[in-house]
Amino acid sequence: MHRFKNAKIALLVAMMTAIVGCADRVSLAEDEMQKIRQQPPQPIQQPPQPQPIEDFAYAASNIRDPFFPQSLLELQAKVADAPTIKPDENRAKEELESYELTELVYKGKVVAPNGQEYGLVLAPDGLVRDVQIGNYMGKNHGRIVEITQTQINMIEIVEDTRLGYVEKSANLISPN
């Protein structure tokens, strides 16, 4: 109990010292501010005049820009050198171009007596249509380039955000 009483007294003394110390610092700051307010105002100096700067002629126009990534330069060169590819919008659309490739089912290949190869494609409307090399199908301007026993191979023209249009291969594979 005696220890507890001594601890209380020590804590009370510490708090009083802190309060007196804070009050003393606040009064010192207030005194200093009062002295500053009593001084006469100082004149404001004019800012310095800006110095004229000579024009700089950039003479390194034939050197690569160090802030432009090399990968983008290479891409720009590819785009500039790439042949212009775009779908023929004036061409009459064929029946199977109104469907996505995923909606079509390749049923097989037949060969006519004259040797002409045809692929048989089931459309969502339930009709089987015959196609041959050069025909189009799918919504991405897919031109048929090969018909095998198991699939139809095409070249599609799809939009690319960087290059405009690009060609990509696609195929319609028989489920059997």
Side-chain angles (χ1 to χ4, degrees), residues 86-104:
K86 59 184 187 180
D88 182 5
E89 299 295 343
N90 297 325
R91 178 181 58 78
K93 297 281 185 187
E94 297 182 19
E95 286 182 75
L96 295 177
E97 286 186 275
S98 60
Y99 303 107
E100 292 288 343
L101 286 181
T102 55
E103 298 176 289
L104 303 173

Side-chain angles (χ1 to χ4, degrees), residues 48-115:
Q49 291 297 318
Q51 299 292 324
I53 299 174
E54 291 181 34
D55 289 339
F56 177 75
Y58 184 71
S61 60
N62 58 348
I63 299 174
R64 184 179 77 82
D65 182 352
F67 302 105
F68 200 73
Q70 183 68 28
S71 60
L72 289 180
L73 285 174
E74 291 168 3
L75 181 62
Q76 281 182 339
K78 280 183 189 176
V79 171
D81 294 342
T84 305
I85 298 170
K86 59 184 187 180
D88 182 5
E89 299 295 343
N90 297 325
R91 178 181 58 78
K93 297 281 185 187
E94 297 182 19
E95 286 182 75
L96 295 177
E97 286 186 275
S98 60
Y99 303 107
E100 292 288 343
L101 286 181
T102 55
E103 298 176 289
L104 303 173
V105 179
Y106 180 49
K107 289 300 198 177
K109 172 182 170 181
V110 294
V111 181
N114 64 0

Side-chain angles (χ1 to χ4, degrees), residues 13-33:
V13 169
M15 287 177 53
M16 292 300 287
T17 305
I19 292 172
V20 169
C22 286
D24 189 43
R25 286 190 302 175
V26 170
S27 64
L28 287 175
E30 287 176 353
D31 291 343
E32 192 63 32
M33 291 299 293

